[in-house]
Amino acid sequence: RLGDRVRVRLEVERVGEKSITFAYTLTCAVTGEPRARAKLVHAFVAVGGASEFAPRAAHPDYLAGLRRLGLIT
């Protein structure tokens, strides 16, 4: 509802070779009632073009960084 304070929970739902999916859950900060859910898929592309880019191969510490942030276990 407009004006409600919400809590946002972010989870990494899927880590693929060329994309990552984030899942967001919003709940009312007072009652805990669910307010909204959303998914956001980030596709990795090479700089300067629309060709696909595999972050795991280019950045070996990619998953380690997500773990440090607490986004994956």
Side-chain angles (χ1 to χ4, degrees), residues 19-33:
S19 67
I20 185 168
T21 303
F22 295 102
Y24 298 88
T25 305
L26 285 74
T27 57
C28 177
V30 176
T31 66
E33 292 178 49

Side-chain angles (χ1 to χ4, degrees), residues 4-62:
D4 279 358
R5 289 189 163 206
V6 294
R7 287 200 172 101
V8 179
R9 177 183 172 102
L10 166 64
E11 295 179 71
V12 175
E13 188 172 86
R14 181 180 177 279
V15 178
E17 288 298 319
K18 298 175 184 168
S19 67
I20 185 168
T21 303
F22 295 102
Y24 298 88
T25 305
L26 285 74
T27 57
C28 177
V30 176
T31 66
E33 292 178 49
R35 292 291 187 240
R37 290 185 308 195
K39 286 187 185 181
L40 186 59
V41 178
H42 291 257
F44 298 101
V45 296
V47 175
S51 61
E52 293 178 342
F53 172 72
R56 290 184 188 190
H59 302 286
D61 60 349
Y62 171 71

